[in-house]
């Protein structure tokens, strides 16, 4: 396969919420890129900064209390953070689209599906007639596998099931033929048989339209079935990044390892599940050292004193853990320890 | 292990009226639970799985008579619950407790944890004030919290801790049966495994019987001895957990299992992606209610409701694929039991 170009690059992004109870560094210096046509997963437990990352890219962080305090988001050589609100609206209408966990919150309950689809199309294709826009709407609804597309234009959002609403949202996101689709937990509110339909649809559309997808999820199973590459977040930071297959074959960060072992596997019964002690810290509550140190069974002195960086451990695999710091003195002993698990 | 049923449910039904208009005329009914029968042995965990709206919570609530069944019998510990007066039922409730998905919604935000935990004891007139305080302390520690937490309020806890409080509250009256309705569905994976481990430990320590309701098939497999699968108000399959996952019989169970994303990219499974949505329970399909989505639909399926019949030891399925021709085998098997 030929080397694909980077289409979106997030550099040292910092998004902070300024609240009465203090500053919350929800996204804390993160770096990653999305390549043309790939499906990149971002996985992590609630509150780790997944949604804030996607809203930052879309220019939709509520301000106040939120603010992007540093970094760059480069899309096709332009820094989105330097754009005006008008330019951003163009980007959102044409280049980067987003779908959310609960489609009901992004569909207007007072207007029909047809109304809302036509509006989205006409923003994008200013010169089009209503008739042409309607044809396009029907075509898009059919593309996402909705059988009675023409009738559905007459329906109000509440008349559709959750799975159908999510398909409508995908259709609306795709009318402008975006280069990047950000999907924030698109199947979390759906039943598993409907989730399977939507994930299949997203994979098909990705292959067919070559739209890059940034898929945000808390479910490592969804990552395994859908993504090529994955980023693991913890407390506002990226703690591991690798090809999706490698995160399961060779998870490196103790948090990633723990997370994978905590999942009850449907294929075989374990007597007892592994469990990570404690709970996820609030962003900003740990001022010094590794964010995971307090819950980590491998933590040593350095972990509570210094901040680990993302260490390159192999091609395309990076881990924010001192156990993988090749310069670090303790490395050898601890690496043997961690690999023996 | 004892194999005495602690709970036996026969032909349980709950039909909710569908009302319309200003006058609230009844225009139809939702068959939320439609003729469900099963038993739960003492000390075991029965898992109930199925997608949203299939009647899991309604079933759970009827077992405790938090919701009156439209029809059917519930026998608990040799006693027929459906014929008890509300006074007698209140007494029995100390033996059956419930744990909910969102403990926050069921914990009074204005009460301290101490008061919340004491309440079931007061309701049932158990222990004096000193003994109650002692028990609160004891159970907080048992579920992995600390005695000083008794003075705090629900909002001061994380989701996982609140679920521990919900579990402690259920344990206060020393119940025999705990009905847990999606107890870990709202929790993150790392917290979910903590709570599942806790529930398994408690089951051993207090000889508890569980009905564990969930939509996550991995979680259910992990915790359950036997599993029942529901679809549109009916039980379509019930089997020992191992058996159900290795050899699912009902096409719905097969599809459900194949739809679960497995955290292993090397695992190649045959995925059955079901077409369409779950039908409206106010207007369910004729015959087998699954026939509108079933890849193996036959003529008979649109006409005749399949009965839940035994197909192997402890394994029952409601599907015409396992009809007549296997009748003889079943008789043989029953004979040998
Ligand atoms: N509007 C807001 N005001 C204050 N804090 C916020 C706001 N939105 C998000 N946060 C904080 O940012 C952190 C990350 O949130 P989010 O990105 O939504 O997490 P998730 O990974 O679950 O999507 C959380 O700790 C949350 O408290
Ligand atoms: N109080 C009620 N009034 C009317 N319909 C109800 C009521 N409670 C539940 N239902 C309906 O009964 C069906 C089963 O619901 P429920 O038992 O909550 O399903 P589950 O717990 O499996 O998601 C659903 O169609 C639901 O809409
Ligand atoms: Mg989120
Ligand atoms: Mg329910």
């Amino acid at each position: 396969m030929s080397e694909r170009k980077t289409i979106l690059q997030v550099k040292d992004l910092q998004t902070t919420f300024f609240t009465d109870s203090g500053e919350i560094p929800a996204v804390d210096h993160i770096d990653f890129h999305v390549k043309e046509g790939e499906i990149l997963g971002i996985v992590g437990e609630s509150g780790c900064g997944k949604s804030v990352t996607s809203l930052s890219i879309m220019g939709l962080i509520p301000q106040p209390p939120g603010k992007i305090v540093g970094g760059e988001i480069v899309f096709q050589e332009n820094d989105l953070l330097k754009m005006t609100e008008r330019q951003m609206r163009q980007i959102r209408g044409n280049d980067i689209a987003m779908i959310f966990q609960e489609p009901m919150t992004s569909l207007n309950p007072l207007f029909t599906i047809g109304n809302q689809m036509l509006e989205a199309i006409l923003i994008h294709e200013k010169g089009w007639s209503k008739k042409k826009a309607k044809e396009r709407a029907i075509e898009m609804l059919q593309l996402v596998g909705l059988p009675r597309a023409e009738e559905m234009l007459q329906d109000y959002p509440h008349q559709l099931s959750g799975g159908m609403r999510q398909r409508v949202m995908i259709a609306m996101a795709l009318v402008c033929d975006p280069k990047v689709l950000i999907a924030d937990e698109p199947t979390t509110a759906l039943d598993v048989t409907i989730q399977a339909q939507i994930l299949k649809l997203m994979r098909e559309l990705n292959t067919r339209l070559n739209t890059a997808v940034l898929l945000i999820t808390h479910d490592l199973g969804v990552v395994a079935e859908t993504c090529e590459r994955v980023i693991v977040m913890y407390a506002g930071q990226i703690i591991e990044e690798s090809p999706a297959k490698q995160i399961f074959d060779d998870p490196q960060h103790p948090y990633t390892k723990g997370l994978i072992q905590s999942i009850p596997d449907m294929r075989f019964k374990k007597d007892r599940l592994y469990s990570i002690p404690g709970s996820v810290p609030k962003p900003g509550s740990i001022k010094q050292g590794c964010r995971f140190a307090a819950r980590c069974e491998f933590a040593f002195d350095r972990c509570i004193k210094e901040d680990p960086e993302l260490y390159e451990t192999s091609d395309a695999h990076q881990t924010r853990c001192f156990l993988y710091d090749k310069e670090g003195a303790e490395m050898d002993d601890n690496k043997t320890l961690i690999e023996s698990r | 292990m004892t194999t005495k049923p602690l709970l036996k449910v026969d032909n349980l039904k709950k039909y909710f009226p569908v009302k319309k208009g200003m006058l609230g005329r009844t225009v139809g009914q939702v068959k939320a639970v439609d003729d469900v029968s099963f038993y739960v042995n003492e000390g075991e965990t029965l898992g109930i799985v199925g997608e949203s709206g299939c009647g899991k919570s309604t079933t759970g609530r009827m077992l405790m008579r938090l919701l009156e069944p439209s029809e059917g019998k519930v026998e608990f510990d040799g006693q027929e619950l459906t014929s008890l007066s509300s006074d007698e039922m209140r007494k029995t409730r100390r033996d059956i407790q419930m744990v909910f998905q969102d403990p926050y919604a069921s914990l009074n935000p204005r009460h301290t944890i101490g008061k919340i935990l004491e309440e079931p004891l007061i309701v049932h007139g158990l222990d004096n004030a000193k003994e109650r305080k002692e028990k609160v302390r004891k159970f907080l520690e048992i579920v992995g919290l600390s005695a000083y937490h008794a003075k705090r309020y629900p909002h001061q806890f994380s989701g996982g801790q609140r679920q521990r409080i919900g579990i402690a509250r259920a344990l206060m009256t020393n119940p025999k049966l705990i009905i847990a309705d999606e107890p870990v569905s709202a929790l993150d994976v790392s917290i979910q495994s903590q709570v599942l481990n806790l529930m398994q430990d408690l089951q051993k320590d207090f000889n508890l019987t569980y009905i564990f309701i969930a939509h996550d098939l991995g979680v259910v497999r992990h915790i359950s001895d036997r599993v029942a699968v529901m679809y549109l108000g009916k039980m379509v399959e019930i089997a020992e957990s191992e058996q159900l996952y290795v050899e699912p019989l009902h096409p719905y169970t097969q599809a459900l299992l194949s739809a679960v994303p497995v955290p292993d990219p090397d695992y190649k499974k045959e995925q059955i992606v079901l077409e369409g949505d779950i039908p409206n329970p106010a207007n369910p399909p004729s015959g087998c209610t699954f026939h509108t989505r079933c890849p193996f639909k036959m003529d008979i399926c649109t006409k005749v409701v399949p009965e839940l019949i035994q197909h192997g030891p402890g394994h029952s399925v409601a599907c015409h694929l396992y009809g007549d021709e296997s009748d003889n085998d079943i008789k043989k098997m029953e004979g040998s039991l």
Side-chain angles (χ1 to χ4, degrees):
Chain A
M1 203 191 282
S2 65
E3 192 53 33
R4 287 177 296 183
K5 277 196 303 206
T6 291
I7 186 157
L8 180 73
Q9 177 124 35
V10 173
K11 293 185 185 167
D12 202 28
L13 179 70
Q14 278 172 275
T15 306
T16 301
F17 288 91
F18 297 87
T19 67
D20 295 343
S21 44
E23 288 181 23
I24 304 169
V27 165
D28 197 5
H29 300 278
I30 68 170
D31 287 273
F32 67 91
H33 65 280
V34 183
K35 280 183 275 191
E36 269 179 352
E38 80 167 334
I39 305 186
L40 171 66
I42 297 187
V43 68
E45 297 184 285
S46 49
C48 69
K50 304 181 296 296
S51 295
V52 172
T53 301
S54 51
L55 294 174
S56 300
I57 298 170
M58 294 298 284
L60 294 173
I61 290 290
Q63 183 179 349
K67 190 171 190 309
I68 296 179
V69 293
E72 285 172 48
I73 298 173
V74 183
F75 175 74
Q76 294 182 328
E77 335 229 294
N78 298 309
D79 184 357
L80 299 184
L81 299 182
K82 296 213 174 76
M83 288 190 176
T84 63
E85 177 51 32
R86 232 185 96 196
Q87 288 171 313
M88 267 321 282
R89 228 173 295 143
Q90 281 298 314
I91 293 280
R92 285 196 296 264
N94 293 309
D95 301 302
I96 309 179
M98 182 160 174
I99 55 175
F100 299 88
Q101 173 172 341
E102 189 23 87
M104 211 48 193
T105 55
S106 29
L107 286 169
N108 189 328
L110 300 176
F111 292 97
T112 62
I113 300 301
N115 263 321
Q116 302 185 54
M117 290 223 37
L118 258 56
E119 194 189 320
I121 293 168
L122 291 171
I123 289 177
H124 182 60
E125 303 289 354
K126 296 213 170 57
W128 283 21
S129 69
K130 251 187 129 169
K131 182 162 170 282
K132 192 161 177 199
K134 189 177 162 191
E135 277 162 18
R136 173 81 171 149
I138 293 170
E139 184 194 331
M140 290 313 293
L141 291 176
Q142 280 164 347
L143 180 74
V144 298
L146 288 165
R148 24 168 230 108
E150 186 152 8
E151 291 162 54
M152 193 170 279
L153 294 178
Q154 257 58 249
D155 288 346
Y156 288 88
H158 72 89
Q159 292 173 289
L160 308 180
S161 70
M164 292 199 288
R165 284 199 289 262
Q166 199 55 286
R167 282 177 196 263
V168 169
M169 281 312 299
I170 295 173
M172 279 175 65
L174 295 176
V175 286
C176 61
D177 196 11
K179 307 270 180 335
V180 181
L181 174 67
I182 301 179
D184 191 352
E185 310 246 13
T187 58
T188 302
L190 304 175
D191 277 312
V192 47
T193 63
I194 310 300
Q195 163 168 286
Q197 294 173 357
I198 298 290
L199 292 178
K200 182 166 170 247
L201 171 69
M202 292 189 49
R203 282 192 303 261
E204 283 166 5
L205 292 174
N206 165 259
T207 320
R208 207 150 122 201
L209 310 173
N210 204 36
T211 314
V213 179
L214 182 59
L215 179 69
I216 291 172
T217 176
H218 65 276
D219 186 340
L220 279 157
V222 169
V223 170
E225 291 201 352
T226 321
C227 302
E228 287 161 63
R229 228 161 32 94
V230 62
I231 283 169
V232 184
M233 285 187 75
Y234 187 77
Q237 294 183 320
I238 292 175
I239 56 111
E240 188 159 356
E241 181 188 328
S242 91
K245 189 169 148 37
Q246 263 188 42
I247 211 87
F248 298 98
D249 292 348
D250 178 27
Q252 296 179 342
H253 198 286
Y255 173 66
T256 314
K257 283 179 193 262
L259 207 55
I260 290 173
Q261 291 180 65
S262 300
I263 309 171
D265 195 318
M266 222 184 48
R267 292 167 299 165
F268 34 79
K269 187 161 178 154
K270 306 174 190 165
D271 274 346
R272 205 175 167 74
L273 291 171
Y274 178 80
S275 79
I276 304 173
S279 55
V280 181
K282 289 212 176 64
S285 62
I286 297 171
K287 302 272 186 269
Q288 196 187 20
C290 170
R291 309 284 193 275
F292 187 63
R295 304 174 74 189
C296 180
E297 54 185 297
F298 307 104
F300 51 103
D301 285 355
R302 194 177 172 197
C303 306
I304 44 175
K305 285 189 206 127
E306 291 173 49
D307 283 6
E309 42 185 287
L310 271 171
Y311 300 104
E312 194 109 3
T313 58
S314 67
D315 228 17
H317 200 150
Q318 299 175 23
T319 304
R320 190 182 296 281
C321 174
F322 287 127
L323 297 174
Y324 296 89
D325 177 11
K326 299 207 174 63
E327 333 269 76
E330 291 96 331
M331 185 217 154
D332 286 341
D333 289 354
N334 285 293
K335 185 117 196 283
T336 340
L337 180 65
I338 200 165
E339 274 170 356
S340 67
R341 272 187 52 190
Chain B
M1 202 168 162
T2 46
T3 49
K4 191 175 83 189
L6 179 66
L7 182 85
K8 207 168 159 300
V9 175
D10 289 310
N11 308 99
L12 197 63
K13 292 183 187 174
K14 182 71 196 182
Y15 293 178
F16 290 109
V18 178
K19 297 207 156 85
K20 215 174 178 175
M22 303 273 283
L23 301 172
R25 260 182 327 120
T26 301
V27 294
Q29 41 192 206
V30 173
K31 297 180 175 181
V33 174
D34 194 14
D35 201 0
V36 159
S37 303
F38 61 93
Y39 63 88
V40 190
N41 286 330
E42 202 176 303
E44 79 166 344
T45 300
L46 175 73
I48 301 183
V49 288
E51 296 178 285
S52 54
C54 70
K56 304 181 296 296
S57 298
T58 306
T59 303
R61 294 166 63 84
M62 280 195 286
L63 302 181
M64 281 189 82
R65 277 182 65 195
L66 292 176
L67 202 61
E68 287 302 325
S70 307
E71 260 179 59
K73 278 201 283 193
V74 178
E75 198 183 300
F76 173 76
D77 211 8
Q79 208 176 19
E80 175 30 336
L81 297 189
T82 28
S83 60
L84 294 185
S85 70
S86 54
D87 227 30
E88 291 167 317
M89 188 59 218
R90 204 167 309 131
K91 288 201 195 90
T92 309
R93 276 207 193 106
R94 72 174 271 200
D95 291 330
I96 313 177
Q97 289 289 324
M98 228 164 153
V99 175
F100 299 94
Q101 168 171 356
D102 180 7
Y104 202 47
S106 59
L107 302 177
N108 188 329
R110 280 189 291 274
H111 289 176
T112 61
I113 301 308
K115 183 155 185 197
I116 289 169
L117 293 184
E118 246 187 290
E119 194 182 273
L121 297 176
I122 297 172
V123 168
H124 292 287
L126 303 170
D127 308 322
N128 62 35
K130 188 162 163 276
E131 289 164 338
R132 290 199 300 264
K133 294 266 177 317
E134 184 49 44
K135 254 192 196 162
V136 167
R137 192 158 43 229
K138 177 177 144 200
F139 279 102
L140 277 172
E141 275 162 14
I142 283 174
V143 299
L145 297 168
S146 305
Y148 67 83
H149 285 129
K151 294 207 178 62
R152 301 210 175 155
Y153 291 87
H155 75 266
Q156 295 173 292
F157 294 88
S158 68
Q161 288 175 320
R162 286 203 284 260
Q163 197 52 288
R164 290 175 192 269
I165 295 166
I167 291 169
R169 180 176 57 181
L171 292 174
M172 294 301 286
T173 59
N174 193 22
K176 296 189 174 115
L177 173 68
I178 289 186
I179 301 167
D181 191 355
E182 309 257 9
V184 298
S185 304
L187 305 177
D188 277 315
V189 207
S190 76
I191 309 302
Q192 170 181 294
S193 64
Q194 294 173 358
V195 172
L196 289 172
N197 286 344
L198 172 68
M199 288 188 68
Q200 285 182 312
D201 293 343
L202 295 172
Q203 180 164 41
K204 277 192 223 106
D205 295 347
F206 296 96
N207 188 32
L208 295 168
T209 305
Y210 287 148
I211 292 181
F212 193 101
I213 296 172
H215 64 269
D216 183 321
L217 285 118
V219 168
V220 167
R221 157 135 214 204
H222 177 74
I223 195 114
S224 309
D225 298 301
R226 287 188 304 129
V227 177
V229 182
M230 287 187 76
Y231 186 77
L232 272 183
K234 291 196 180 290
M235 232 161 232
V236 298
E237 184 162 2
I238 183 163
E240 286 190 4
S241 155
E242 181 73 25
Q243 177 70 14
L244 187 91
Y245 284 79
V246 173
E247 199 195 339
L249 295 176
H250 199 286
Y252 177 63
T253 313
Q254 292 168 358
L256 199 60
L257 289 174
S258 86
V260 179
V262 173
D264 176 1
D266 292 329
Y267 178 64
K268 292 280 171 278
K269 63 181 177 188
E270 196 189 332
Q271 199 175 35
I272 311 165
V273 177
L274 288 179
E275 307 270 309
D277 274 309
I278 300 170
N280 179 353
N283 184 20
S286 61
C288 170
T289 50
F290 184 60
H291 83 250
T292 51
R293 301 171 81 196
C294 184
F296 307 109
K297 186 184 82 176
M298 305 175 291
D299 272 353
I300 184 176
C301 305
T302 59
K303 298 182 193 111
V304 182
V305 180
E307 301 272 328
L308 186 68
I309 49 171
Q310 191 165 358
H311 186 74
H315 196 160
S316 301
V317 60
C319 174
H320 291 303
L321 287 175
Y322 309 93
D324 295 338
E325 63 272 52
S326 49
D327 259 354
N328 291 330
D329 300 353
I330 293 161
K331 296 226 175 68
K332 254 185 264 156
M333 244 171 272
E334 276 170 345
S336 69
L337 279 178

